[in-house]
């Protein structure tokens, strides 16, 4: 018995010493952060590997160390809220304008102005009060089965709710912020009543109950469950470049259609970042924003996820260029946030799971 | 007399402090209970609450039935019989616990979906295009399938430890009386192991109620998805807390049912020697069937997902930076070890305390801490953040004195994450320790006390050695759970701190399951290693 307890303690000791050198460093994580050099603390909901490389480049270029906490947008925002004026966060980066609006609405961002940012990021992709700046752009489009659907059959988001599409429409659950923002944009453009009718009629056209992510909608077209799906452009990009040949095959069988070209334009959204209200390193946060929207970084930052760069000086990748130019919705991005709650309630009311 | 009082007091004070620490952060959440219902709440009640309730109940009931069936049948088979590969199955059947359910869900979906191996093979090799709905697991039955595969080890582990250590004399008596094995199972094994079975099943139920990853991905609406939706989407903390209150009512009900099912009867050691149950050797078809059953469960719950994950890891190996993994492994093992040790220590103190004090009210005390296991992790996380920031603000003068420039010290350190783990997983450790204490009973302790040893000495000399099995299995369960944990780790980690589960999650949430496979494999590898080490250690006894 004594011996076995000894073994147990020995095991724990081994584990602890194995981590020992690290435990000091993680205890020193906050100390390590308190290195005397300049630094910037980033809370980000984007977690592509390429981001880390860009932060390293920024560090090499400016000597400013980038400390990162990666998480889910909503939870990170909640954490910043709770930390109040004591927060360590300098910059908050997330996808979806709806979420950026939530952050602004919660009063955790501050307005910053910089000539460089204005040069690099079109006004359209900036918050009206300069509280956040868009960094990448994506469109929520219709993809369709090239074999069963002709491109001329497609026209608008609104038309997908017509009876002729009964049992053919695929889309993920309403829990997802991309759908919330899409509905919010239709509320902004067509008004609440029309938007609600659209959502209710679209539900009647669902090929199946919403399930899975955006890629799963594309696969369901290949499987013959439905004919058209609503999804974000970059997921198609990911599939076309997948390590899994079958995914590539599925994506190649799909047509991509930018809806509402003759009417109100295709729904676009951004990922972006805002400087935290109580940032301790405001200047460094602005520098990081300027770096991420610079011509040099934009290519990598957007390309990593097959997104469109917001910096107009940067050419989109070959794949995106092949999809062609398109007309975008002409509404302030903040409206996506303003109608976010309304869209959630609306989804519940019309039974969009 | 004086000395005994002092003794009880030390235990009382320690236990009370631990209790407060465990429950305090949740109180910040509970303050919202008394708010007036608002429009959002009425909206929820009108449109979605019913479906939350029915879906959640359905998931719980079905998963309980299946996990109990599989867990108990395997535990009994391995405790009672000898057949080919029995020694391997003993520990291998715990392994599925090392696969986080959300990774299991992504993996299985990856296997059966249109571009997965099954449909692809059927299409390309046999020219078969079957109805895709046959392969659709993104629904309630599919979720039950996933939960059952990756959670049954809770029931299996707890029940098997009990059966192999406890049931010997009872089963032997029954054998002597000429009962066949089926009769023994029904009339002896099930009744005596009821507490372990229900204990394991209630852990499964809490796990299911708490799950966010699987239901979110599958598009199933449950309480948890509703809580997140109202809190973050509608920005309405009050309503989301009301939903959490409903959920807690659920959990209290589950625990109440558990108490009811456990019943009044206690079976404790009848002799000081724990004798393992002599096993019956199976022959012929029976032996083959037993092996097959084991292999089937092991295959579905571990081998198949593992092979798929290995396949994906090979596919994507070149495209993922490798440097981060070494650190992530260290971080994961570090926080899991420290936190699990703390959980078990606290559980021992509280478990012993509630035995010392004969009183209904006090024994409910530790039960309160189970609340931490019933609230969604993200909600707890926010409670913990709030608490730690409050503590930090109180300590500012001290920080100034020491010469820190910032006001946040604790809340940007690893301490906060570890505290949250302890609060979250205390229930698991305590469940294990408590059933250990129940098995010991109080006779030996009373004897030791009569012989003049004080409570603390008795605890160290008598109880602790007898509790060893419970301590080890409790530690193991908590350790593995922390390795897999997602919401707390995401929200509460310090800067530049990655763990394996956060790595796996960040890829999976971007719909990049293939890239998530390497981190998942490492989680599985470490858990498997821990299971094997501890298993060998237990076998030695």
């Amino acid at each position: 018995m004594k011996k076995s307890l000894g073994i147990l303690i020995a095991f724990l000791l081994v584990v602890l010493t194995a981590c020992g050198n690290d435990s000091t460093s993680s205890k020193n994580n906050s100390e390590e952060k308190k290195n005397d050099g300049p630094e910037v603390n980033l809370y980000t909901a984007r977690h592509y590997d390429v981001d880390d490389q860009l932060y390293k480049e920024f560090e090499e270029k400016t000597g400013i160390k980038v400390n990162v906490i990666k998480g889910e947008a909503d939870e990170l925002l909640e954490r910043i809220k709770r930390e109040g004026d004591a927060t360590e966060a300098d910059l908050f980066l997330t996808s979806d304008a709806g979420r950026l609006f939530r952050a602004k609405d919660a009063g955790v961002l501050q307005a910053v102005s910089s000539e460089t940012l204005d040069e690099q990021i079109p006004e359209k992709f900036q918050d009206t009060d300069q509280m956040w700046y868009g960094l990448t752009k994506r469109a929520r489009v219709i993809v369709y089965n090239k074999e069963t659907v002709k491109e001329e059959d497609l026209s608008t988001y609104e038309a997908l709710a017509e009876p002729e599409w009964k049992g053919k429409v695929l889309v993920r659950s309403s829990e997802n912020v991309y759908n919330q923002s899409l509905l919010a944009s239709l509320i902004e453009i067509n008004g609440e009543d029309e938007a609600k009718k659209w959502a209710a009629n679209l539900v009647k056209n669902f090929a199946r109950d919403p399930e899975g992510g955006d890629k799963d909608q594309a696969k369901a077209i290949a499987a013959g469950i439905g004919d058209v799906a609503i999804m974000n452009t970059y997921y198609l990009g990911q599939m076309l470049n997948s390590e899994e040949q079958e995914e590539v095959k599925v994506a190649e069988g799909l047509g991509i259609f930018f809806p509402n070209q003759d009417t109100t334009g295709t729904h676009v959204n951004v990922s972006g970042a805002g400087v935290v209200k109580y940032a301790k390193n405001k200047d460094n946060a602005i520098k990081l924003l300027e770096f991420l929207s610079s011509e040099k970084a934009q290519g990598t930052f957007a390309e990593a996820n097959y997104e469109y760069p917001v910096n107009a000086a940067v050419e989109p990748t070959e794949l995106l260029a092949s999809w062609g130019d398109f007309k975008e919705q002409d509404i302030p991005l903040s409206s996506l946030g303003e109608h976010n709650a309304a869209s959630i309630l609306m989804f519940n009311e019309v039974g969009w799971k | 007399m004086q000395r005994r009082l002092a003794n009880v007091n030390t235990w009382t004070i320690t236990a009370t402090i631990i209790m407060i620490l465990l429950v305090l952060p949740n109180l910040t959440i509970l303050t919202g209970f008394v708010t007036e219902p608002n429009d959002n709440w009425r909206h929820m009640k009108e449109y979605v609450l019913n479906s939350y309730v029915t879906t959640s109940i359905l998931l719980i009931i079905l998963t309980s039935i299946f996990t109990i069936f599989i867990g108990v049948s395997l535990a009994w088979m391995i405790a009672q019989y000898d057949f080919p590969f029995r020694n391997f199955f003993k520990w291998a059947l715990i392994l599925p616990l090392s696969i986080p359910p959300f990774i299991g869900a992504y993996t299985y979906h990856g296997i059966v979906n249109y571009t997965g191996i099954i449909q692809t093979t059927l299409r390309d090799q046999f020219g078969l295009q079957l109805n895709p709905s046959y392969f659709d697991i993104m629904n309630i039955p599919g979720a039950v399938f996933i939960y059952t595969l990756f959670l049954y080890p809770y029931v299996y582990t707890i029940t098997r430890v009990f059966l192999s250590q406890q049931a010997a004399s009872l089963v032997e008596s029954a054998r002597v009386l000429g009962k066949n094995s089926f009769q023994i199972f029904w009339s002896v094994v099930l009744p005596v192991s009821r507490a372990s079975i229900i204990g394991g099943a209630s852990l499964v139920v809490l796990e299911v109620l708490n799950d966010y990853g699987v239901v979110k991905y599958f598009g199933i609406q449950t309480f948890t998805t509703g809580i997140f939706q109202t809190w973050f989407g509608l920005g309405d903390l009050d309503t989301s807390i009301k939903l959490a209150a409903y959920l807690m009512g659920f959990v209290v009900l589950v625990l109440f049912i558990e108490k009811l099912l456990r019943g009044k009867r206690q079976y404790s050691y009848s002799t000081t020697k724990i004798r393992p149950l002599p096993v019956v050797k199976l022959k012929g078809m029976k032996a083959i069937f037993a092996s097959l059953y084991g292999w089937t469960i092991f295959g579905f719950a571990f081998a198949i997902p593992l092979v798929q994950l290995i396949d994906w890891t090979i596919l994507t190996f070149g495209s993922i930076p490798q440097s981060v993994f070494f650190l992530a492994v260290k971080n994961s093992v570090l926080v899991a070890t420290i936190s699990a040790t703390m959980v078990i220590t606290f559980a021992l103190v509280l478990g012993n305390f509630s035995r010392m004090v004969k009183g209904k009210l006090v024994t409910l005390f530790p039960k309160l801490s189970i609340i931490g296991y019933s609230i969604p992790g993200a909600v707890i996380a926010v409670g913990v953040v709030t608490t730690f920031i409050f503590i930090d603000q109180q300590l500012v003068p001290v920080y100034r004195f020491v010469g820190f420039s910032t006001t946040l010290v604790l809340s940007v350190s690893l301490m906060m994450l570890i505290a949250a783990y302890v609060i979250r997983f205390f229930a698991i450790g305590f469940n294990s320790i408590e059933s250990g204490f129940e098995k010991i009973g109080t006779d030996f302790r009373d004897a030791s006390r009569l012989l003049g040893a004080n409570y603390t000495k008795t605890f160290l000399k008598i109880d602790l050695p007898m509790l060893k099995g419970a301590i080890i299995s409790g530690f193991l369960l908590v350790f593995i759970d922390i390795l897999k944990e997602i919401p707390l780790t995401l929200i509460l980690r310090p800067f530049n701190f990655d763990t394996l589960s956060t790595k796996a999650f960040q890829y999976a949430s971007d719909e990049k399951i293939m890239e998530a496979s390497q981190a998942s494999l490492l989680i599985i590898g470490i858990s498997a290693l821990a299971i094997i080490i501890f298993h060998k250690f237990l076998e030695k006894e």
Side-chain angles (χ1 to χ4, degrees):
Chain A
M1 170 59 220
K2 276 217 174 69
K3 205 176 91 184
S4 51
L5 256 186
I7 296 173
L8 183 64
I9 290 164
F11 171 82
L12 286 178
L13 279 178
V14 168
V15 170
L16 284 174
T17 41
C19 312
N21 43 5
D22 191 52
S23 70
T24 43
S25 75
S26 47
K27 254 213 303 284
N28 293 343
N29 235 340
S30 40
E31 269 92 308
E32 193 189 315
K33 275 177 42 344
K34 288 185 198 32
N35 63 359
D36 297 332
E39 55 184 5
V40 59
N41 296 329
L42 172 70
Y43 280 18
T44 174
R46 241 181 81 105
H47 15 65
Y48 299 109
D49 293 323
V50 81
D51 296 7
D52 299 333
Q53 282 163 336
L54 283 168
Y55 305 146
K56 261 204 203 80
E57 271 174 47
F58 175 74
E59 218 166 299
E60 281 158 18
K61 200 181 122 184
T62 61
I64 299 167
K65 185 169 178 353
V66 184
N67 298 306
V68 188
I69 293 184
K70 293 176 182 176
E72 291 294 274
D74 296 325
E75 285 90 340
L76 285 175
L77 175 58
E78 196 63 32
R79 180 169 171 174
I80 297 175
K81 270 197 233 173
R82 301 258 161 182
E83 286 169 348
D85 58 6
T87 187
E88 294 271 324
D90 298 315
L91 191 64
F92 174 56
L93 198 159
T94 176
S95 64
D96 207 282
R99 291 210 186 97
L100 288 161
F101 176 86
R102 274 179 213 169
K104 177 184 169 182
D105 208 36
V108 301
L109 301 181
Q110 60 172 307
V112 296
S113 57
S114 122
E115 272 178 36
T116 317
L117 287 177
D118 289 341
E119 270 164 41
Q120 292 175 165
I121 304 170
E123 198 179 340
K124 197 184 153 179
F125 300 117
Q126 297 182 13
D127 173 49
T128 38
D129 302 318
Q130 296 183 301
M131 292 222 178
W132 53 261
Y133 290 84
L135 292 169
T136 62
K137 184 174 76 175
R138 64 281 294 275
R140 197 148 180 80
V141 294
I142 299 174
V143 296
Y144 59 95
N145 185 336
K146 278 186 200 165
E147 287 181 7
T148 58
V149 176
K150 292 202 227 25
E151 197 176 339
E152 48 267 30
D153 298 341
L154 296 162
S155 57
T156 61
Y157 298 109
E158 289 85 348
L160 282 187
E162 299 293 333
E164 70 202 66
W165 292 103
K166 194 166 176 56
K168 295 181 179 172
V169 179
L170 291 151
V171 64
R172 75 196 294 179
S173 101
S174 65
E175 182 269 347
N176 178 268
V177 74
Y178 306 140
N179 282 340
Q180 293 164 14
S181 287
L182 173 63
L183 185 57
S185 75
L186 295 178
I187 292 175
E188 174 73 14
I189 292 167
N190 302 330
E192 287 219 9
D193 296 347
E194 283 303 311
K196 190 170 174 178
K197 258 188 236 154
W198 173 80
N201 288 329
L202 195 70
V203 171
K204 288 179 194 150
N205 287 347
F206 282 177
R208 63 170 182 199
D209 276 347
E211 60 175 52
D214 273 10
K215 285 184 192 174
D216 291 308
Q217 313 314 316
K219 288 178 185 179
I221 292 182
I225 295 168
D227 285 332
V228 291
I230 298 174
M231 69 189 284
N232 281 359
T233 41
Y234 55 85
Y235 286 114
L236 200 60
Q238 284 177 20
M239 287 176 82
L240 286 165
N241 290 283
S242 172
E243 308 281 348
E244 179 76 75
Q245 283 316 300
E246 285 293 323
E247 272 197 5
V248 180
K249 254 196 251 173
V250 167
E252 282 169 347
L254 297 172
I256 182 167
F257 183 81
F258 289 85
N260 298 51
Q261 288 307 288
D262 304 330
T263 58
T264 49
T266 297
H267 172 66
V268 288
N269 208 323
V270 293
S271 70
V275 177
V276 176
K277 187 174 179 180
Y278 297 106
K280 313 283 184 285
N281 304 297
K282 182 181 167 181
D283 293 346
N284 296 349
I286 296 173
K287 280 189 189 133
L288 183 56
L289 258 180
E290 288 171 348
F291 171 79
L292 290 175
S293 53
S294 69
E295 229 174 297
K296 191 167 171 299
Q298 270 284 289
T300 323
F301 200 59
E303 254 170 62
N305 189 30
Y306 311 100
E307 288 180 88
Y308 294 92
V310 289
N311 187 327
V314 180
E315 287 292 312
T317 52
E318 204 180 321
L319 172 70
L320 300 188
S322 75
W323 292 341
D325 285 337
F326 61 95
K327 179 181 167 187
E328 297 166 9
Q329 274 179 344
D330 189 26
I331 51 172
L333 284 172
S334 58
S335 66
L336 306 180
E338 282 158 23
H339 303 303
N340 182 272
S343 72
I344 291 174
L345 297 175
M346 207 177 271
F347 279 132
N348 285 341
E349 285 162 22
V350 303
W352 181 324
K353 286 205 173 111
Chain B
M1 184 68 211
Q2 272 303 313
R3 210 180 58 181
R4 199 191 74 185
L5 263 183
N7 221 309
V8 170
N9 277 342
T10 326
W11 282 93
T12 312
I13 292 164
T14 323
T16 313
I17 289 173
I18 292 173
M19 272 311 305
I20 291 170
L21 287 178
L22 287 173
V23 179
L24 187 73
N26 296 334
L27 290 182
T28 58
I29 293 296
L30 300 185
T31 48
F33 269 142
V34 284
T35 51
E36 284 294 305
N38 57 13
D39 283 347
N40 285 338
W41 175 247
R42 279 186 284 276
H43 165 96
M44 289 278 152
K45 266 176 81 166
E46 183 174 352
Y47 292 105
V48 285
L49 197 58
N50 274 344
S51 86
Y52 290 167
V53 173
T54 44
T55 312
S56 294
I57 289 183
L58 207 58
L59 286 174
I60 295 175
I61 289 179
L62 291 173
T63 309
S64 307
I65 291 171
F66 287 113
T67 46
I68 288 175
F69 181 82
I70 292 176
V72 175
S73 58
L74 288 172
W76 172 235
M77 189 171 93
I78 280 167
Q80 164 87 339
Y81 299 107
D82 187 20
F83 51 90
F85 301 106
R86 171 177 178 259
N87 279 335
F88 164 77
F89 284 137
K90 234 186 214 174
W91 58 269
L93 287 170
I94 312 172
L95 289 176
L97 205 58
S98 64
I99 301 181
F102 81 94
I103 292 291
Y106 274 97
T107 309
Y108 259 102
H109 177 65
I111 292 171
V112 302
N113 80 11
Y114 183 79
T115 57
I117 177 112
I118 295 179
Q119 291 202 58
T120 307
T121 312
L122 288 174
R123 264 199 316 273
D124 300 349
Q125 308 299 321
F126 305 103
L128 277 176
Q129 172 105 12
L130 294 176
N131 180 342
S133 63
Y134 297 163
F135 300 101
D136 188 2
I137 59 161
M138 292 194 159
N139 44 38
I140 292 174
V144 170
F145 171 78
I146 296 290
Y147 292 143
T148 303
L149 286 186
F150 303 112
L151 298 176
Y152 83 83
Y154 281 123
V155 181
Y156 164 77
T157 312
I158 295 172
T159 312
R160 191 187 69 85
V161 168
F162 174 83
L163 284 177
S164 52
Q165 290 186 347
Q166 297 297 303
S169 50
L170 291 165
V171 172
E172 278 182 325
S173 316
R175 279 184 195 162
V176 169
L177 292 168
K179 304 267 185 215
N180 67 28
S181 43
F182 185 76
Q183 286 167 316
I184 292 174
F185 181 77
W186 268 114
S187 54
V188 178
V189 173
L190 274 185
V192 297
S193 52
R194 200 170 51 180
S196 327
I197 296 171
I198 302 294
S202 58
L203 289 183
V204 171
V205 166
L206 293 174
E207 244 355 286
V208 170
L209 279 178
N210 214 312
D211 166 71
Y212 184 50
V214 178
V215 285
K216 182 180 167 177
Y217 183 50
F218 280 10
I220 300 169
Q221 290 186 308
T222 62
F223 264 113
T224 317
T225 55
I227 287 169
F228 280 76
Q229 186 77 298
T230 28
W231 182 13
F232 297 132
L234 300 174
D236 183 352
L237 189 58
D238 289 351
T239 298
S240 98
I241 283 169
K242 279 218 172 340
L243 283 171
Y246 262 69
L247 181 62
M248 270 213 257
F250 243 64
V251 172
V252 170
L253 196 70
V254 168
L255 295 174
F256 180 72
I257 292 171
E258 180 204 3
K259 267 268 173 273
L260 223 58
L261 288 174
R262 278 199 189 188
K264 286 254 185 300
R265 271 189 294 179
Q266 291 202 336
Y267 305 88
S268 43
Y269 289 150
S270 42
T271 61
T272 39
K273 272 201 76 63
I274 309 174
R275 278 176 311 131
L277 185 64
V279 288
V280 179
K281 204 164 172 57
L282 289 177
K283 293 191 181 57
M285 280 310 287
K286 277 187 177 165
I288 292 170
F289 178 77
S291 281
L292 264 182
Y293 180 46
W295 281 118
T296 307
I297 301 293
F298 179 75
F300 275 99
F302 193 73
I304 293 173
L306 187 74
V307 169
Q308 178 67 80
L309 286 169
I310 290 171
D311 173 51
W312 281 335
T313 303
I314 293 167
L315 260 182
T316 53
F317 197 75
S319 61
I320 301 182
Q322 290 298 309
S323 54
V324 289
F325 280 110
F326 183 65
L327 199 59
V329 169
K330 277 166 75 170
N331 287 343
S332 283
V333 174
L334 170 83
V335 287
T337 309
I338 295 175
S339 312
T341 310
M342 281 172 77
V343 165
I344 297 301
T345 313
F346 287 180
L348 283 169
V349 174
L350 282 185
N352 195 42
F353 172 71
S354 44
R355 282 168 76 223
M356 281 161 40
V357 191
K358 294 257 191 304
K360 282 275 175 289
L361 201 64
V362 187
T363 40
L364 278 179
F365 224 40
K367 283 282 177 207
L368 278 182
S369 59
I370 288 195
I371 290 170
Y373 196 52
S374 66
I375 306 175
V379 180
I380 290 195
V382 168
V384 173
V385 168
T386 313
T387 310
F388 266 73
I389 287 169
F390 175 78
I391 296 172
D392 264 340
Q393 282 164 344
Q394 304 313 304
L395 292 177
V396 166
V398 182
Y399 298 154
R400 290 286 170 275
F401 184 73
V402 184
F404 285 145
S405 56
T406 57
T407 48
L408 293 187
V409 176
L410 285 177
S411 37
V412 292
S413 73
L414 214 48
M415 294 267 290
M416 183 161 71
L417 182 59
I418 289 169
Y421 283 148
V422 172
I423 290 162
R424 175 94 174 77
F425 293 118
F426 178 79
I428 296 197
F430 186 74
N431 228 347
S432 189
I433 301 290
E434 189 189 34
S435 62
F437 272 123
E438 268 175 21
K439 282 189 312 212
I440 302 179
T442 52
D443 301 356
F444 301 105
R445 186 195 64 189
D446 296 344
S448 156
R449 301 267 308 113
L450 274 174
L451 293 171
N454 69 19
Y455 271 114
T456 309
K457 191 171 173 185
T458 304
F459 174 73
L460 293 174
K461 287 264 186 240
I462 308 289
D463 295 339
L464 220 45
M466 291 176 90
L467 278 172
K468 202 162 60 230
I471 291 175
I472 287 172
S473 50
F475 180 90
L476 197 58
L477 287 178
V478 177
F479 178 85
I480 292 173
D481 243 336
I482 291 173
L483 281 187
K484 296 188 296 186
E485 207 284 334
I486 275 298
L488 290 181
T489 321
L490 277 178
I491 305 171
L492 299 177
R493 55 182 162 161
F495 281 103
N496 311 329
F497 188 84
D498 263 323
T499 69
L500 291 171
S501 64
T502 61
K503 288 302 289 177
F505 181 81
Q506 75 181 48
Y507 288 119
S509 69
D510 288 339
E511 297 192 34
K512 295 185 167 183
I513 179 60
M514 287 184 241
E515 286 80 356
S517 55
Q518 191 181 346
S520 312
L521 277 184
L522 286 166
I523 294 175
I524 295 167
I526 294 172
S527 308
L529 200 67
I531 289 171
I532 292 166
I533 290 172
F534 280 103
H535 179 78
K536 289 274 175 281
F537 176 74
L538 267 181
E539 287 295 286
K540 260 215 197 69
E541 292 308 310

